[in-house]
Amino acid sequence: MPVVRGCNLPDDLLYDVDSHTWYREMPDGKVRIGMTQVAVALAGKLVAFTPKKPGKPIAAGKSCATVESGKWVGPAKSAAGGNVAAVNDALVATPTLANDDPYSARVVELEPENWGDVKGTLTPGPAVADKYDAKMAADGFAGCGG
């Protein structure tokens, strides 16, 4: 697993580095979307999580949820468009689950449109380290402290 500046980036995921989101393909064709460890480190302790409702369509590049911490409120963006198939009710009830383990705390499950095209724009886990290191350097982010 790549570790960049103390931030874990599991090999088995795809990444949208600019949006700090991860993607996991499911056997049924759906895609799980979550926030990377970098995202939650930047945000700080999460206090609220408001996903789009199941059945709601989202456009590629748009928000699939709103995330709020003590110092930040913003969108969790999806590189893929499609319909929200499921939300993470546990994360709604306890937003800090994403702080504890961002790779288990998915944001939504999406029935994606044009996944084959979108997938090619994402960075596979084994190749993400250099891209994330450059992004952190450009953003002046020291890394995931502990």
Side-chain angles (χ1 to χ4, degrees), residues 8 14 17 20 38 45 51 54-55 62 65-66 90 93 98 114 117 125 127 131 134 136-137:
N8 295 323
L14 297 166
V17 173
H20 299 298
V38 178
K45 184 178 178 184
K62 297 298 182 184
T66 299
N114 302 321
D117 295 336
K131 197 168 187 177
M136 290 174 172

Side-chain angles (χ1 to χ4, degrees), residues 10-11 13-15 122-129:
D11 283 337
L13 301 174
L14 297 166
Y15 295 91
L122 302 173
T123 304
V128 79

Side-chain angles (χ1 to χ4, degrees), residues 80-134:
N83 287 318
V84 175
V87 300
N88 187 343
D89 291 326
L91 190 59
V92 173
T94 311
T96 54
L97 290 174
N99 293 103
D100 297 339
D101 185 358
Y103 301 110
S104 291
R106 66 168 165 81
V107 173
V108 298
E109 198 165 279
L110 187 71
E111 295 171 341
E113 299 169 348
N114 302 321
W115 177 245
D117 295 336
V118 173
K119 183 178 175 180
T121 69
L122 302 173
T123 304
V128 79
D130 289 344
K131 197 168 187 177
Y132 240 123
D133 190 50

Side-chain angles (χ1 to χ4, degrees), residues 3-127:
V3 178
V4 179
R5 299 182 186 212
C7 302
N8 295 323
L9 300 160
D11 283 337
D12 63 335
L13 301 174
L14 297 166
Y15 295 91
D16 179 347
V17 173
D18 289 333
S19 292
H20 299 298
T21 51
W22 58 259
Y23 298 80
R24 175 176 283 133
E25 296 177 284
M26 304 307 292
D28 62 3
K30 294 180 183 121
V31 176
R32 288 187 175 169
I33 304 170
M35 298 174 289
T36 65
Q37 187 177 16
V38 178
V40 296
L42 285 166
K45 184 178 178 184
L46 299 181
V47 297
F49 166 71
T50 309
K52 301 290 185 194
K53 298 200 180 320
K56 182 153 178 84
I58 57 170
K62 297 298 182 184
S63 174
C64 60
T66 299
V67 181
E68 182 177 348
S69 71
K71 61 182 180 178
W72 182 80
V73 176
K77 292 182 180 177
S78 173
N83 287 318
V84 175
V87 300
N88 187 343
D89 291 326
L91 190 59
V92 173
T94 311
T96 54
L97 290 174
N99 293 103
D100 297 339
D101 185 358
Y103 301 110
S104 291
R106 66 168 165 81
V107 173
V108 298
E109 198 165 279
L110 187 71
E111 295 171 341
E113 299 169 348
N114 302 321
W115 177 245
D117 295 336
V118 173
K119 183 178 175 180
T121 69
L122 302 173
T123 304

